[in-house]
Amino acid sequence: MRRPLLKDPERGLGLRLMVASFAVALLMVPFTLLLVVAKMPLNDLDRQVAENLHAYALDHPGVTRLLIVWTDLFGPWPWRVAVVAYAVWLLRKGAPRLAAWAVTTVTVGGLLGLALKIVVARARPHLPDPVALAPGDSFPSGHAVNVTLGAGVVVLLLLPSLPRWGRRLAWALAWFVVLSVAYTRVALGVHWMSDVVGGIVLGVAVIAATSAAFETWRREQGRRPASPVTEGVEPESVKVTRE
């Protein structure tokens, strides 16, 4: 009796990542419309926070310059370049599936953020004597989306090679960078607070969806169950990357 042909594992992974990304898109669009378009009471909080932080920025120009440097240092493009460079290194080390997951996660998340900006078309804060300017629409914050995606992907790639204490430290540093960059966008008056909250939520949702898809694929390939948050997306990659 002939054995049934095995499905191409690479194709199966790609399909799962696409389905997971599409599922996030379906969930985030109604959430965005309810939060911003429906004009929920959160907008009053947005306005109050923006005015208070703007007054502080005007009174402390030195701090404002530091915030500008920080937000540029950890902006969208540095994260995109870092993840792509890491993916290229993974390809050379013989970990193409992990590289595909990383690039797919960052790309899908970034494109979804841009799509939501177009759907919502929310205006940025208009404050007197602005300390910084930014083009485009406001919700969600592109910086918040991409710093969450970039930091999350890098940490999940590094986890298999880190000790337990190193994993905790990596997550702590990642969240510090994410929250600090989100703060700079509001403090500089180029985003509302709900913009950065929405950006972080979107970034986390995309990472969670693609990581879950990758873990499901791993188990179908007969690999032991793993927790991406504590062991990384592909714990077996530590053997490949150390060679």
Side-chain angles (χ1 to χ4, degrees):
M1 182 175 181
R2 297 178 62 183
R3 291 183 178 181
L5 294 177
L6 296 176
K7 295 182 179 180
D8 182 2
E10 308 292 340
R11 182 179 179 182
L13 175 59
L15 179 60
R16 287 190 178 278
L17 292 177
M18 289 177 60
V19 171
S21 302
F22 184 67
V24 174
L26 290 180
L27 289 174
M28 287 303 298
V29 169
F31 162 78
T32 302
L33 293 175
L34 285 174
L35 180 63
V36 181
V37 178
K39 302 297 182 183
M40 296 177 68
L42 191 60
N43 286 314
D44 293 332
L45 179 60
D46 277 339
R47 190 175 301 105
Q48 182 179 355
V49 171
E51 291 174 354
N52 291 341
L53 291 181
H54 182 61
Y56 183 87
L58 291 175
D59 293 338
H60 300 81
V63 175
T64 299
R65 286 192 293 270
L66 179 61
L67 294 179
I68 292 174
V69 172
W70 191 259
T71 200
D72 290 340
L73 180 63
F74 293 105
W77 277 108
W79 285 113
R80 292 165 184 160
V81 172
V83 171
V84 170
Y86 204 149
V88 171
W89 181 77
L90 288 170
L91 283 173
R92 297 184 64 180
K93 285 290 184 176
R97 295 180 296 274
L98 200 55
W101 169 81
V103 173
T104 298
T105 301
V106 172
T107 302
V108 169
L111 291 176
L112 186 53
L114 290 175
L116 291 178
K117 280 180 178 288
I118 296 173
V119 171
V120 176
R122 188 187 198 187
R124 292 180 183 270
H126 183 68
L127 301 168
D129 301 319
V131 297
L133 298 173
D137 296 313
S138 191
F139 186 96
S141 164
H143 277 68
V145 171
N146 285 280
V147 69
T148 304
L149 292 169
V153 166
V154 169
V155 169
L156 289 173
L157 293 177
L158 288 174
L159 286 182
S161 61
L162 296 177
R164 180 175 298 180
W165 66 267
R167 295 174 182 180
R168 294 174 179 173
L169 178 60
W171 277 122
L173 291 175
W175 275 112
F176 170 75
V177 173
V178 169
L179 295 177
S180 63
V181 170
Y183 172 80
T184 66
R185 307 309 291 166
V186 183
L188 293 173
V190 293
H191 278 291
W192 304 105
M193 186 180 68
S194 56
D195 295 339
V196 299
V197 172
I200 293 173
V201 170
L202 173 58
V204 171
V206 172
I207 292 174
T210 59
S211 297
F214 197 101
E215 175 62 17
T216 302
W217 173 83
R218 282 184 67 257
R219 297 185 186 191
E220 285 190 350
Q221 302 306 307
R223 302 181 184 182
R224 70 169 181 83
S227 171
V229 175
T230 57
E231 300 180 79
V233 176
E234 191 172 28
E236 302 86 358
S237 65
V238 65
K239 299 178 182 179
V240 177
T241 55
R242 284 180 177 176
E243 293 179 355

